[in-house]
Amino acid sequence: MRLIPLALALILSLSPALAQTRADPEGASGVAPKPLATARTHVIAAAHPLAAEAGRTILRQGGSAADAAIAALLVLNVVEPQSSGIGGGAFALVHSAAGVTSLDARETAPAGATPAMFLGADGAPLPFLEAVASGHSVGAPGLVRLMEALHARHGKLPWPDLFVPAIGLARVGFPVSPRLAESIKRYRDRLAASDAAVLFLPGGEPLAEGAILANPALADSLQILARQGAQALYSGPLADAIAAGAAREPRPGTLTAADLAAYEVKERPAVCILYRIRFRVCGMGPPSSGATTVGQILGLLGRFKPDEMTLEGARLWHLFAEASRLAYADRAQYLADPDQVRVPVRGLLDPGYLADRAHLISGFQAGPGK
């Protein structure tokens, strides 16, 4: 039986094995094929080449998969600040000799959160961007606590060593990627109204692709974490600064230093399904919707014959779209934070339930609704 972890957030395989990656077979989907990549000792994939390079460096220094992942995450904070960072949260799926487990380090709402926090004076929901660009949308971050937990359980190299690549890039600078340049341009108005304007809009203009971006303030913060450990983000000057930032006008939030001090990473069971008997597919369970939703899609597709789902024909894409429609309907109806509501994961993945749902998939036309 093969184990295939889902790429929901962060995946660690601590078991030595031969790793192979390859694009689609030539001509299967119109995607240009890439050569087979084989690794006998280690392999890392990340959203930015500088992050992957940092992880590879750590692995070559004798670091573990956890060490490499931490180094890559820290570099992503520097080079993809629009997507990653120590001010946010994460999930980790860990595959080791002991099995598969997951760590939940998503942001948590402050103790002062209320049901009306995203409503205007008239009681109507605030426009999305207005709600996001406010202190109310700031939760207690979990990423640094997650890195601490991973390092304590699976780390080999000293904690400060894992910060070296990110601190260096933040101090010296790096070329702005096309993706980052596009993000800065798209959100220039929001950036202009924030403290980040001096960093991303020098002279009032968005940084262009290829421009060198250094972030000495971030380097200083990372240096503090490297020297003092994760606790430095959850108490003391950094925690006070985060709480003060969330409390700023025009729409201050309720996050406090006490909310940060109370943050804890939670270990949760991974959600796994068997796909066509041969494959065990595992991922992050609630509060993530990923593994449950993907599990439902695979479970529904498993009701159909493999020869009906070749890449060359339209049949696969129709079945995939219909299976996704049903799975996402269940996602919207049932999936939530398991600490607040009961989430019927076992029932949603039950073969009998999926068999009933599969009957709603027509072989020739889109279904009418949920």
Side-chain angles (χ1 to χ4, degrees):
M1 181 186 298
R2 294 179 60 194
L3 177 97
I4 300 180
L6 297 177
L8 301 176
L10 171 65
I11 299 171
L12 303 181
S13 180
L14 303 171
S15 302
L18 174 70
Q20 295 182 331
T21 60
R22 177 166 46 193
D24 295 333
E26 186 172 1
S29 61
V31 177
K34 296 182 179 179
L36 179 70
T38 300
R40 294 190 176 276
T41 56
H42 52 244
V43 64
I44 182 169
H48 193 287
L50 289 174
E53 180 61 31
R56 184 173 68 167
T57 297
I58 292 297
L59 290 168
R60 289 180 172 176
Q61 291 175 357
S64 67
D67 292 332
I70 292 169
L73 285 169
L74 292 167
V75 168
L76 285 174
N77 190 161
V78 178
V79 301
E80 287 205 339
Q82 78 278 21
S83 301
S84 304
I86 58 176
F91 297 125
L93 184 69
V94 182
H95 173 216
S96 67
V100 183
T101 189
S102 62
L103 297 175
D104 173 7
R106 279 303 304 267
E107 311 90 325
T108 59
T114 68
M117 62 193 295
F118 292 115
L119 302 180
D122 58 357
L126 293 170
F128 178 76
L129 290 181
E130 183 177 341
V132 169
S134 73
H136 284 305
S137 68
V138 181
L143 180 59
V144 177
R145 281 291 188 213
L146 174 65
M147 295 190 299
E148 175 187 57
L150 288 172
H151 187 258
R153 298 182 187 198
H154 307 293
K156 291 183 179 180
L157 297 183
W159 171 263
D161 291 4
L162 311 182
F163 287 74
V164 171
I167 292 173
L169 287 167
R171 289 212 186 279
V172 176
F174 63 94
V176 172
S177 68
R179 184 169 180 267
L180 177 55
E182 174 60 30
S183 181
I184 295 172
K185 182 179 178 181
R186 180 182 304 172
Y187 296 107
R188 64 178 299 172
D189 292 342
R190 290 170 60 187
L191 289 170
S194 73
D195 293 341
V198 66
L199 193 64
F200 299 112
L201 303 172
E205 293 300 320
L207 282 173
E209 176 186 345
I212 300 301
L213 172 60
N215 191 339
L218 177 58
D220 291 342
S221 295
L222 294 177
Q223 190 72 60
I224 292 172
L225 294 176
R227 291 174 178 171
Q228 301 180 19
Q231 185 59 32
L233 190 77
Y234 296 90
S235 64
L238 287 180
D240 293 339
I242 293 171
R248 289 179 185 170
E249 297 290 349
R251 190 172 292 279
T254 61
L255 183 75
T256 66
D259 291 315
L260 276 77
Y263 189 90
E264 294 181 350
V265 173
K266 298 181 179 180
E267 183 169 1
R268 301 187 188 274
V271 171
C272 301
I273 71 157
L274 285 178
Y275 179 64
R276 299 193 184 277
I277 302 177
R278 289 185 57 205
F279 303 103
R280 185 179 180 223
V281 184
C282 296
M284 186 74 204
S288 168
S289 63
T292 308
T293 303
V294 172
Q296 281 198 300
I297 293 171
L298 292 177
L300 291 166
L301 292 176
R303 315 298 301 183
F304 298 89
K305 296 178 181 179
D307 57 10
E308 292 184 82
M309 298 187 290
T310 61
L311 291 173
E312 290 79 4
R315 174 76 166 164
L316 167 62
W317 308 113
H318 168 70
L319 294 176
F320 178 79
E322 288 298 286
S324 299
R325 175 179 63 84
L326 294 171
Y328 271 83
D330 280 352
R331 174 183 183 271
Q333 181 69 26
Y334 298 111
L335 290 173
D337 185 347
D339 292 339
Q340 304 298 324
V341 298
R342 179 181 174 275
V343 183
V345 173
R346 183 175 298 179
L348 291 170
L349 297 176
D350 180 78
Y353 174 71
L354 292 177
D356 288 341
R357 295 287 274 170
H359 291 148
L360 299 175
I361 298 178
S362 166
F364 305 99
Q365 62 184 17
K370 297 181 180 180

